[in-house]
Amino acid sequence: MRVLSVVVFLMMNVSIVEAEIPDHHAHVGSSEVQFNYEFLEFKNSKQKEDGRRYGMTLDHQDTQHHFQLYMEHTDTKTKPVMPKDLSVNKYAFKYQYSMSKKETLSFIYMNIDDNLIAAVDGTNIYGLGYSYKSLSLMQYVSDYRDFNVYQSDVKWGMKKEFDTFTLKGAVMGKYIHLQDRLGNVYTQKTKQDYFTLGLKVHAEYEDWHIGAVGYVGERIFAVMNEGLRVQHHAMAFEKSYMFSVGRAFDDVFVNLRYIKQFATEVPIGNEDVEVSNIAVNVSYSF
């Protein structure tokens, strides 16, 4: 009932107010491979300095089935207070089944390999979703070592086509509930419930794609990017924004993104942390 009441509240009150990565197009009947490189910089952090992230996505979509496999590796240089630098591997698998032109089911599995934080190493994340027309609902369960995270997402999409111009958008809500958070030092200073609202806008003109995403409201241990990424450290993100520009060159698509996020390192109570992210994605369809 808790999840249902939050979903109803979101649907009635959603308004324009890690940031998500906008998809630039569907590719029914083809496959796609994507590579991404990201540079991360942490300002005012007492734990991290900067990092590099490398990722690869394998993607196949036909009229009924859509498979996505995402693998990423992140190296982060830490401050001397930490015992060693951070090295993280994440793996995500997403399967979508189109029951009809209007209805889709989604199944998600993620795994985290973290060399530094034992509380999050080995975490398994499961997701189940349903979409009908423009409405999408997702439920995630993140099974961390000493606590669990339950996340409910709702998204309402929209699309408007002109002669040579297409405008897409979505309003999004995330409700996050932490279970057994008081049983360990890593999460005992977190809140039990978090709630955030987001807006996504995406414009297409000929071969050009421009996107923007913004979030307000706190979130922690949040599953992002439609179930393919997760913010797995105990950082409470208060607001985020992202801008992107991309261009298609026949079967190749190149996308540049800038992401800015503001957060608190919860276990040590360090506020006003700024995380900047510059990223480039290159995908090839075949």
Side-chain angles (χ1 to χ4, degrees):
M1 291 303 295
R2 178 196 297 270
V3 171
L4 180 60
S5 63
V6 171
V7 169
V8 173
F9 174 83
L10 280 168
M11 293 174 63
M12 295 177 62
N13 294 276
V14 77
S15 59
I16 295 178
V17 286
E18 249 244 190
E20 297 284 306
I21 300 172
D23 359 81
H24 59 275
H25 68 292
H27 54 92
V28 177
S30 67
S31 299
E32 184 177 273
V33 58
Q34 179 182 120
F35 299 94
N36 62 278
Y37 169 79
E38 305 177 27
F39 171 75
L40 300 94
E41 184 178 29
F42 299 86
K43 182 180 179 181
N44 301 326
S45 172
K46 293 184 178 180
Q47 298 175 324
K48 303 175 183 178
E49 293 189 357
D50 56 60
R52 305 289 191 277
R53 177 174 295 146
Y54 312 87
M56 181 178 71
T57 304
L58 302 176
D59 191 323
H60 175 75
Q61 184 178 10
D62 58 36
T63 55
Q64 276 194 313
H65 310 281
H66 189 183
F67 301 90
Q68 292 172 279
L69 176 63
Y70 177 66
M71 300 163 284
E72 80 172 27
H73 173 77
T74 306
D75 290 313
T76 304
K77 185 178 180 181
T78 60
K79 298 290 182 71
V81 67
M82 304 298 287
K84 56 184 174 181
D85 287 339
L86 179 64
S87 178
V88 178
N89 295 310
K90 296 180 184 178
Y91 310 92
F93 174 75
K94 182 175 182 179
Y95 169 67
Q96 293 175 287
Y97 174 70
S98 297
M99 298 183 290
S100 68
K101 292 183 178 180
K102 299 179 180 180
E103 295 180 284
T104 302
L105 287 176
S106 300
F107 305 90
I108 291 163
Y109 170 74
M110 302 179 68
N111 179 263
I112 301 170
D113 174 20
D114 189 304
N115 76 320
L116 190 56
I117 310 298
V120 298
D121 182 41
T123 296
N124 295 306
I125 301 172
Y126 309 91
L128 177 64
Y130 170 77
S131 64
Y132 177 76
K133 293 185 177 179
S134 299
L135 177 65
S136 299
L137 304 173
M138 284 295 308
Q139 180 64 45
Y140 301 100
V141 179
S142 301
D143 182 17
Y144 290 89
R145 178 169 298 185
D146 299 313
F147 62 99
N148 294 320
V149 179
Y150 298 90
Q151 176 176 325
S152 303
D153 286 9
V154 60
K155 181 177 76 170
W156 182 269
M158 57 206 75
K159 180 179 179 181
K160 180 67 175 179
E161 294 183 347
F162 304 90
D163 290 339
T164 59
F165 180 77
T166 300
L167 183 64
K168 301 176 183 178
V171 285
M172 303 163 290
K174 294 179 180 291
Y175 166 72
I176 298 172
H177 174 75
L178 275 64
Q179 182 185 64
D180 299 328
R181 76 188 202 286
L182 301 179
N184 66 91
V185 175
Y186 192 65
T187 57
Q188 65 182 7
K189 292 184 179 180
T190 63
K191 297 187 294 187
Q192 181 171 291
D193 300 294
Y194 292 83
F195 177 75
T196 185
L197 286 172
L199 171 68
K200 177 188 294 188
V201 179
H202 187 91
E204 300 176 12
Y205 175 73
E206 295 181 346
D207 292 328
W208 288 93
H209 300 255
I210 299 175
V213 181
Y215 277 98
V216 294
E218 282 189 303
R219 67 182 188 271
I220 195 168
F221 301 113
V223 178
M224 306 294 290
N225 194 29
E226 309 291 344
L228 291 179
R229 292 196 177 192
V230 59
Q231 298 167 326
H232 73 292
H233 283 168
M235 295 184 70
F237 291 90
E238 298 152 11
K239 56 183 177 180
S240 308
Y241 58 82
M242 184 278 295
F243 300 98
S244 71
V245 58
R247 190 179 190 280
F249 302 88
D250 294 326
D251 296 327
V252 176
F253 184 80
V254 180
N255 179 264
L256 298 175
R257 300 193 315 278
Y258 175 76
I259 302 170
K260 187 78 170 184
Q261 304 192 82
F262 301 86
T264 296
E265 293 170 329
V266 176
I268 58 176
N270 182 37
E271 301 178 346
D272 301 320
V273 178
E274 298 181 16
V275 185
S276 300
N277 184 322
I278 298 174
V280 58
N281 287 48
V282 179
S283 58
Y284 172 70
S285 299
F286 56 94

